[in-house]
Amino acid sequence: MPLRETEAVVLRTYRLGEADKIASLFTRQLGRLRAVARGALRPKSRYGGTLEPLSYVRLWIFERENRDLLHLNSVEIIESFFDMQRDYRVQLAAQYLAEVGERLLPEREINERVFRLLLAVLRALKHSNEVNCPLLYFDYWMVRLSGFLPDFEACAGCGKALGEDGGYYTGGSEGLFCHDCRPSGATRVAAATLSMVQTACRQPLDKWLQEKPPVGTREARLFLEELIESHTEKKLISKKMMEEEV
Ligand SMILES: [Zn+2]
């Protein structure tokens, strides 16, 4: 029964029986997985506050062959993102990152770029009061790194250049449509927003955060989040909560 060391971000935890917790983790060296933390609900648990949602931790885990659930041996904190979540908007944003991570990241698949993205976005949320820019950056890169970023310049129906009119999408769309091909009830994304996303998201996040949020940030987020929902064929709970608050 080998003991493996890895870094991880805690996506969320939930109760298992009277005293244990299951931690849903995105680990750097083993990919996304779930592991049992024995006794984590006891008052003097050896895990202390290390399993708070979105904590960046180092952990040691027992790998057993042919078992779905792994067991945590010990956890130590590298960087906490707990205090920032006292701001309710940031807390919802953090829940959103965790939910999208659980939905989009395949189990046991290592993804160093997404791991670094998640840390960069968490740090941006911690050090700026702005929620929209970090979330747009996260959405863009999660969609792109997951391989379903659509063409921002051509219609998914007829292939014509979208041009100055921008693009149209609706629930279930996996691409953008021109004015002629747009489905009924479609929402428009302005051409300026589409070009802003491509420029803004291709620079480092910390550089971008020194500037004011660009016009269209929210419009772009709604489009990318619709793509995530279409792709996973499921509504995001935290997205709905954010729409009311953020
Ligand atoms: Zn078209």
Side-chain angles (χ1 to χ4, degrees):
M1 195 164 59
L3 189 61
R4 295 281 304 265
E5 178 184 337
T6 178
E7 291 176 22
V9 172
V10 179
L11 297 176
R12 67 187 174 115
T13 59
Y14 37 102
R15 256 188 112 97
L16 177 69
E18 285 299 302
D20 306 336
K21 271 185 184 176
I22 290 181
S24 165
L25 304 157
F26 179 39
T27 75
R28 193 166 207 156
Q29 284 84 4
L30 302 165
R32 187 173 66 78
L33 51 84
R34 294 186 310 151
V36 177
R38 288 250 177 263
L41 285 169
R42 295 209 176 93
K44 283 184 182 167
S45 149
R46 64 194 154 121
Y47 298 106
T50 55
L51 293 175
E52 297 296 351
L54 285 316
S55 288
Y56 174 31
V57 296
R58 182 181 321 283
L59 53 86
W60 288 264
I61 205 162
F62 285 118
E63 265 202 297
R64 295 181 214 214
E65 271 181 51
N66 308 322
R67 295 262 180 104
D68 277 350
L69 273 179
L70 302 160
H71 280 80
L72 286 178
N73 183 52
S74 56
V75 186
E76 63 181 39
I77 231 147
I78 299 174
E79 188 172 354
S80 169
F81 296 101
F82 185 61
D83 284 350
M84 72 178 191
Q85 295 181 55
R86 279 196 286 239
D87 178 338
Y88 186 56
R89 290 174 322 141
V90 177
Q91 189 191 342
L92 288 177
Q95 281 174 20
Y96 174 78
L97 303 183
E99 190 180 4
V100 172
E102 284 197 313
R103 289 279 171 77
L104 286 186
L105 294 165
E107 269 188 81
R108 303 303 294 265
E109 201 172 295
I110 299 167
N111 196 328
E112 175 62 21
R113 292 184 77 186
V114 173
F115 196 85
R116 289 207 310 262
L117 170 70
L118 187 54
L119 281 181
V121 172
L122 284 168
R123 285 172 183 146
L125 286 172
K126 190 173 175 175
H127 298 299
S128 80
N129 290 318
E130 226 290 300
V131 173
N132 276 298
C133 284
L135 288 179
L136 172 58
Y137 198 85
F138 177 76
D139 286 341
Y140 176 83
W141 282 104
M142 279 305 279
V143 169
R144 188 165 161 182
L145 295 171
S146 302
F148 61 94
L149 187 72
D151 194 332
F152 277 24
E153 276 144 33
C155 170
C158 67
K160 212 168 67 183
L162 293 172
E164 283 177 17
D165 191 39
Y168 295 82
Y169 70 96
T170 184
S173 300
E174 296 208 12
L176 287 163
F177 295 92
C178 70
H179 188 271
D180 295 337
C181 302
R182 72 189 196 279
S184 66
T187 307
R188 189 171 84 96
V189 197
T193 298
L194 293 172
S195 90
M196 175 280 288
V197 172
Q198 301 192 81
T199 314
C201 293
R202 283 177 192 165
Q203 54 181 329
L205 180 56
D206 48 356
K207 182 171 174 287
W208 184 23
L209 287 175
Q210 290 160 14
E211 299 155 19
K212 272 174 88 175
V215 176
T217 301
R218 199 176 154 79
E219 183 187 19
R221 266 187 53 208
L222 289 175
F223 165 56
L224 291 164
E225 289 164 12
E226 187 69 49
L227 284 178
I228 294 171
E229 288 186 330
S230 302
H231 187 79
T232 57
E233 296 178 344
K234 214 171 164 191
K235 292 281 175 204
L236 293 157
I237 299 157
S238 51
K239 172 178 180 274
K240 174 127 188 46
M241 288 165 76
M242 275 197 299
E243 275 163 16
E244 290 152 19
E245 287 292 329
V246 178

